[in-house]
Amino acid sequence: MKFLRSLRRRPFVSLQALVSALLVALLAAADYYGFAVFGEDPEQQQSTSQSHLYRQFHK
Amino acid sequence: MGVMKCPSCRSTLTVRESIGTESLVCPGCEAWVGIASAAPRLIAGTRPRAARTPSTTPLALGAKGVLRGKTLEVTGILQRAEGSYTWFECAVADEKGDITWLWVDRGHFSWSVCEGKQCVRTVPGGEFQYGNETLKLFGIGKARQVWASGSFPFELDPSERSRIEDYIAPPFTASREGGVWWVFEYIPVEEIEDAFGVSCPEPVGIGMNQPSTYRRQRMAIGQVTVLALVALMLIHLFVGGDARQAPLLDSNVELRRPSGDPPQSLPGFALHKAWTAIEVDIRAPVSNAWADLNLAFVHAETGKSYWTSQGVEYYSGQDTDGGWTEGSPDRSVLIRSLPAGTYSVLASGGTGGWAGGTTPQYAQLQVYEKPAPATNLLLAFGIVLGLAGIFVWTGYRFEARRWEYSDYGPRE
């Protein structure tokens, strides 16, 4: 309760701490699992049979 | 208690000697009556005062409450003004009859915490200090008494034109009047409402001595921000810092194969993390020419194919402004988040020129593993610093709004 009261008295600090903690967790997860936030999304085919290059390669 | 007759309307005046009354306002005709001498003396008549009766007062005369451990009763309300700017000074008596003052400026309450010539000291350099706080000049003006109700421990004076200097060090305001300092401490209106059991109007703007919630939190915000930046950097270094420096793939792609030929099969590679961004670097010695590559990364286990088209182009020439160039013979692109697995790579290329340009035979293709690109870290940095920036801006706006009412602000 004391902790919650202190957060209420200092809302900006609480918000900054909350967002920072969230970002630290997200960055750790993104870096650990290898997820890039920015970058080009590659085009994706569900199977190689749909790939233009693959079809060309095997024809 | 003593009883007297109003010299103006002959109403009965009740005088509370216990609170050191020297003048009072007749409740019947609103005349100002001095009672310092044996016989009551008319200080000011009825009409000028009544004509200036304010539509509302911050507290009602006789209101009682407990504020910061003191049992108080409002015994007098005085409205003062400088030009069209007005404020209230409420005399509140405690159980012993000692008078404390509540100063109410645009709905912002403060109460007197020190009164006397020694409350404020002058430090070398000519600045004033209250406690350890250096005071800043906020305003200088001449105040007159425009309306009153109740009893006062001094003689009301409608002809008064007191010079008042206001200095601030929130939550304190120090006012110097007639060589005497009055120091007031800001009290949130909610505390007044709780103390007196009343509902007060919303204060207007920022009070001159209103404490800044931003100022109180700025040190903690700074600490949290620095901590967050350090934590993000460490996480990026230790969790995402295992990117291999050697390329996963380093190969040349033919650019001039006949159109009917199948695409080139390049050496494959394996990605071990759940998801991995890859950096594709393309270099080709193009000059007034372009080179394009189509790349397919084919997942061996799922059969899914991820493909992308990338290219380089570089042009140069001369015009009336001199030499010019456009584009670059190398390019680096981040392709994000391929799932773990073994990949085979297929590539096809093409090239063309312009104005006798040089079209290359091959393009160099390098693929690097980028499991934790720096852009992740930069985005997190941006959000943390952006929030801190918003805090600094709102704190700045708070102070700017405070000083709107002063001719002596930092920007004056």
Side-chain angles (χ1 to χ4, degrees), chain B residues 50-92:
Chain B
R52 295 181 194 125
T53 301
S55 57
T56 177
T57 56
L59 290 169
L61 194 65
K64 291 178 182 172
V66 179
L67 182 64
R68 300 196 176 176
K70 276 190 171 184
T71 303
L72 301 172
E73 179 187 348
V74 179
T75 56
I77 303 172
L78 174 64
Q79 188 182 34
R80 301 179 81 183
E82 193 211 354
S84 59
Y85 179 65
T86 63
W87 65 93
F88 289 96
E89 295 171 7
C90 303
V92 287

Side-chain angles (χ1 to χ4, degrees), chain B residues 48-165:
Chain B
R49 303 278 78 75
R52 295 181 194 125
T53 301
S55 57
T56 177
T57 56
L59 290 169
L61 194 65
K64 291 178 182 172
V66 179
L67 182 64
R68 300 196 176 176
K70 276 190 171 184
T71 303
L72 301 172
E73 179 187 348
V74 179
T75 56
I77 303 172
L78 174 64
Q79 188 182 34
R80 301 179 81 183
E82 193 211 354
S84 59
Y85 179 65
T86 63
W87 65 93
F88 289 96
E89 295 171 7
C90 303
V92 287
D94 64 15
E95 287 164 317
K96 294 179 197 163
D98 293 334
I99 296 289
T100 303
W101 288 89
L102 277 175
W103 161 59
V104 190
D105 172 37
R106 293 173 285 127
H108 296 274
F109 285 79
S110 301
W111 79 338
S112 62
V113 290
C114 189
E115 175 199 346
K117 292 188 175 179
Q118 308 303 321
C119 289
V120 170
R121 63 194 173 92
T122 309
V123 293
E127 289 182 319
F128 295 116
Q129 271 194 342
Y130 174 68
N132 292 323
E133 302 284 344
T134 300
L135 298 161
K136 290 179 189 162
L137 178 61
F138 192 87
I140 298 174
K142 286 198 169 177
R144 62 185 199 282
Q145 299 172 359
V146 293
W147 178 85
S149 176
S151 307
F152 299 89
F154 57 85
E155 194 151 281
L156 291 166
D157 180 5
S159 63
E160 176 203 67
R161 296 291 182 271
S162 289
R163 177 187 160 95
I164 298 180
E165 295 166 26

